[in-house]
């Protein structure tokens, strides 16, 4: 006879979920990091369940110049509500350990998912209003410019790079949601109920999701005669010598010369690079992964900043031009140490 009671495993997981909900109140839920040349160490805005923290005063000073409203905890009703919401979820999770009803857990999970959706919509609305409702009499006015930070991920705002991501408290909430989902799957035997004919679409969805999540570090096309080199500040005009790097946070830095990229990374060693790309010399403005490219180095190679290094997709292409440029073949490791 089937029981509607939770298993011991699920009760133990619910205790962890309850601790995560209560514990998240002690840490920032979200963070928005701002990076710019004049702030090499960056600025951070930390959103707790009950307050705004971090470099608030500095960011408010910058916001004043571009006409954005200053940020104050008292201006957001959410900060007076969220602690009770998280406390409610933590308390209900704890009660469910003793009530031990399966239907109660699925109701808790659905309620938490709905809350997450509403919170995301509200955060987007908050970002939109602050980024678009600007003072027309501000000291700096850029026609058509909005300063809305990204909901999640990276976005360039003038000379500032804005990076938005969950903080410790936010990740604790994510983990709580995942654990609730694990309980629902286990208690309702959802895996057993997936018939083989239906597995294909599920796997296809998961595969497409994984591909989507990996596209964050794909090469971003260089706009010739529009983009400037982040090292020498010259306009990138030739699509055969350029390069770019993408940081772990998703920010893209572009260069007109492969050695500009190398020198920039050397001078900014604190930046964590996720991907390197270089222009394929035999094509026009086509970026290829630096680690898999083949390189020639020589003084007769007239790259924009006299770096003297060019890249190829294949070793055969590089070998065909080696004698023409009186150049030597070098490895990727040699390039980045050059």
């Amino acid at each position: 006879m089937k029981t509607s009671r939770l298993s011991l495993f699920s009760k133990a997981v619910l205790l962890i979920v309850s601790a995560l909900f209560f514990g998240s109140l002690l840490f920032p839920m979200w963070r928005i990091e701002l990076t710019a040349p004049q702030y090499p160490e960056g600025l951070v805005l930390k959103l707790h369940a009950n307050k705004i923290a971090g470099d608030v005063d500095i960011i408010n000073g910058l916001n004043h110049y571009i006409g954005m409203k200053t940020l104050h905890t008292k201006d957001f009703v959410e900060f007076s509500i969220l602690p009770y919401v998280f406390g409610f979820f933590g308390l209900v999770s704890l009660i469910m350990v003793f009530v031990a009803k399966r239907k109660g857990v699925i109701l808790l999970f659905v309620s938490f998912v709905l809350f997450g959706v509403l919170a995301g919509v509200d955060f987007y609305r908050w970002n939109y209003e602050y980024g678009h409702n600007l003072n027309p009499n501000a000291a700096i006015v850029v026609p058509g410019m909005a300063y809305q930070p990204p909901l999640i991920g990276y976005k360039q705002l003038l000379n500032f790079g804005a990076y938005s991501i969950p903080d410790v408290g936010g990740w604790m909430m994510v983990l709580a949601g995942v654990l609730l989902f694990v309980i629902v799957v286990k208690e309702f035997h959802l895996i057993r109920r997936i018939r083989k004919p239906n597995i294909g679409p599920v796997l296809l969805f998961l595969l497409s999701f994984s591909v989507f999540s990996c596209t964050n570090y794909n090469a971003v096309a260089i706009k010739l005669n529009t983009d400037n080199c982040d090292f020498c500040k010259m306009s990138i005009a030739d699509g055969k010598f350029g390069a770019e790097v993408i940081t772990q946070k998703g920010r893209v830095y572009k260069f007109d010369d492969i050695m500009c990229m190398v020198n920039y990374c050397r001078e900014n060693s604190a930046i964590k690079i996720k991907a390197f790309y270089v222009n394929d010399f035999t094509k026009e403005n086509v970026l290829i992964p630096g680690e898999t490219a083949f390189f020639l180095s020589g003084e007769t190679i007239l790259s924009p900043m006299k770096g003297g290094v060019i890249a190829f997709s294949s070793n055969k292409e590089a070998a065909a031009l080696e004698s023409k440029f009186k150049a030597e073949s070098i490895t990727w490791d040699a390039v980045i140490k050059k």
Side-chain angles (χ1 to χ4, degrees):
M1 183 174 179
K2 292 185 178 180
T3 177
S4 62
R5 306 285 292 179
L6 293 174
S7 65
L8 183 61
F9 169 83
S10 295
K11 291 180 181 180
V13 174
L14 275 173
L15 282 175
I16 298 174
V17 169
S18 178
L20 288 170
F21 279 128
F22 285 121
S24 66
L25 295 171
L26 304 175
F27 301 95
M29 295 289 175
W30 207 270
R31 65 190 288 123
I32 298 177
E33 299 179 6
L34 301 174
T35 58
Q38 63 268 42
Y39 296 99
E41 296 183 0
L43 300 173
V44 180
L45 190 69
K46 297 184 178 182
L47 304 179
H48 293 251
N50 62 341
K51 65 180 181 179
I52 302 175
D55 301 308
V56 183
D57 292 338
I58 298 175
I59 292 173
N60 277 340
L62 294 170
N63 288 350
H64 173 74
Y65 283 107
I66 60 176
M68 288 181 68
K69 292 170 61 179
T70 53
L71 301 167
H72 304 282
T73 299
K74 63 182 181 180
D75 294 335
F76 298 90
V77 67
E78 291 89 344
F79 292 123
S80 60
I81 297 175
L82 286 177
Y84 295 102
V85 174
F86 297 149
F88 169 78
F89 281 121
L91 183 60
V92 172
S93 300
L94 185 60
I95 291 174
M96 288 306 304
V97 174
F98 302 98
V99 174
K101 294 290 186 180
R102 289 179 176 175
K103 291 184 178 179
V105 172
I106 198 167
L107 181 61
L108 175 63
F109 174 69
V110 171
S111 300
F112 180 65
V113 171
L114 290 176
F115 164 75
V117 173
L118 291 175
V121 171
D122 183 64
F123 187 42
Y124 178 85
R125 176 194 61 81
W126 178 74
N127 282 340
Y128 184 89
E129 290 182 355
Y130 267 75
H132 287 79
N133 297 334
L134 306 176
N135 183 352
N137 299 316
I140 301 175
V141 176
V142 181
M145 182 67 188
Y147 300 94
Q148 179 182 358
L151 183 64
I152 186 169
Y154 176 82
K155 186 177 182 181
Q156 187 73 30
L157 302 171
L158 292 182
N159 66 324
F160 275 88
Y163 183 68
S164 178
I165 194 171
D167 209 322
V168 175
W171 288 119
M172 292 172 73
M173 298 291 285
V174 171
L175 179 57
V178 171
L179 292 178
L180 283 174
F181 179 70
V182 169
I183 295 174
V184 171
V185 170
K186 180 183 185 304
E187 294 298 329
F188 290 87
H189 307 290
L190 296 183
I191 295 179
R192 295 180 185 177
R193 295 182 182 183
I194 298 177
R195 298 179 179 178
K196 290 184 178 180
N198 295 327
I199 292 179
V202 173
L203 292 178
L204 182 61
F205 169 77
L206 293 175
L207 179 61
S208 62
F209 179 79
S210 65
V211 170
F212 173 77
S213 64
C214 292
T215 59
N216 292 339
Y217 303 111
N218 281 356
V220 177
I222 295 175
K223 299 178 182 177
L224 298 180
N225 301 307
T226 299
D227 290 334
N228 292 328
C229 176
D230 281 296
F231 181 71
C232 68
K233 309 306 179 184
M234 299 293 288
S235 176
I236 305 176
D238 197 318
K240 294 182 179 296
F241 300 94
E244 75 177 29
V245 297
I246 304 178
T247 70
Q248 289 188 354
K249 295 181 178 180
R251 182 167 184 176
V252 179
Y253 294 93
K254 301 179 180 180
F255 310 94
D256 62 348
D257 191 305
I258 291 175
M259 291 311 300
C260 276
M261 175 185 69
V262 172
N263 291 327
Y264 182 88
C265 293
R266 183 176 295 124
E267 292 187 4
N268 298 273
S269 57
I271 297 177
K272 297 180 180 179
I273 307 300
K274 182 66 177 181
F276 293 87
Y277 290 96
V278 292
N279 273 143
D280 186 336
F281 184 77
T282 63
K283 300 178 177 63
E284 180 63 22
N285 200 23
V286 174
L287 290 165
I288 57 177
E291 295 88 341
T292 60
F294 299 86
F295 298 90
L296 291 180
S297 175
E299 295 181 357
T300 61
I301 297 175
L302 302 178
S303 59
M305 300 307 294
K306 301 187 183 302
V309 176
I310 49 179
F312 302 85
S313 296
S314 72
N315 189 37
K316 182 178 179 180
E317 292 173 335
L321 293 176
E322 188 171 343
S323 59
K324 175 183 177 180
F325 287 110
K326 298 179 181 179
E328 63 174 343
S329 175
I330 60 173
T331 65
W332 167 245
D333 288 337
V335 170
I336 60 177
K337 294 176 182 178
K338 191 174 171 61

